[in-house]
Amino acid sequence: MSPRPSPSDARQSGDEWLLDHHVLVCGEADLVLCDQVLRHFEQITGRQAVLGVSEESFAAVAAKRALTSAGQESRQ
């Protein structure tokens, strides 16, 4: 099993996450809280949080952003 991406890799300001009949919009001031809410939603409901724009799961977005973040760090 691969390690879970860091919470800082999963969210970006302006993301709109679909949580069943609810939408969570992440702002700059509460990005860490957004990750906590998304993980809690998934743990409690057993359902996936979905990024509204791409319909990708929270885990898929976190993995993709972790790769992008790692690539940016290696270029610096």
Side-chain angles (χ1 to χ4, degrees):
M1 184 172 184
S2 62
R4 199 164 195 180
S6 163
S8 64
D9 297 326
R11 75 306 205 243
Q12 290 182 350
S13 181
D15 281 352
E16 292 185 7
W17 291 92
L18 307 178
L19 310 174
D20 287 335
H21 302 290
H22 305 280
V23 176
L24 175 67
V25 179
C26 296
E28 282 188 42
D30 61 357
L31 290 176
V32 173
L33 183 57
C34 278
D35 275 355
Q36 292 172 347
V37 169
L38 293 167
R39 282 191 167 77
H40 187 72
F41 168 81
E42 290 186 339
Q43 289 173 342
I44 297 300
T45 66
R47 304 184 96 190
Q48 289 187 337
V50 176
L51 185 61
V53 168
S54 65
E55 297 186 4
E56 292 176 282
S57 71
F58 179 68
V61 172
K64 183 187 293 183
R65 290 182 178 167
L67 289 173
T68 301
S69 163
Q72 290 173 350
E73 288 176 8
S74 67
R75 285 183 275 184
Q76 293 178 351

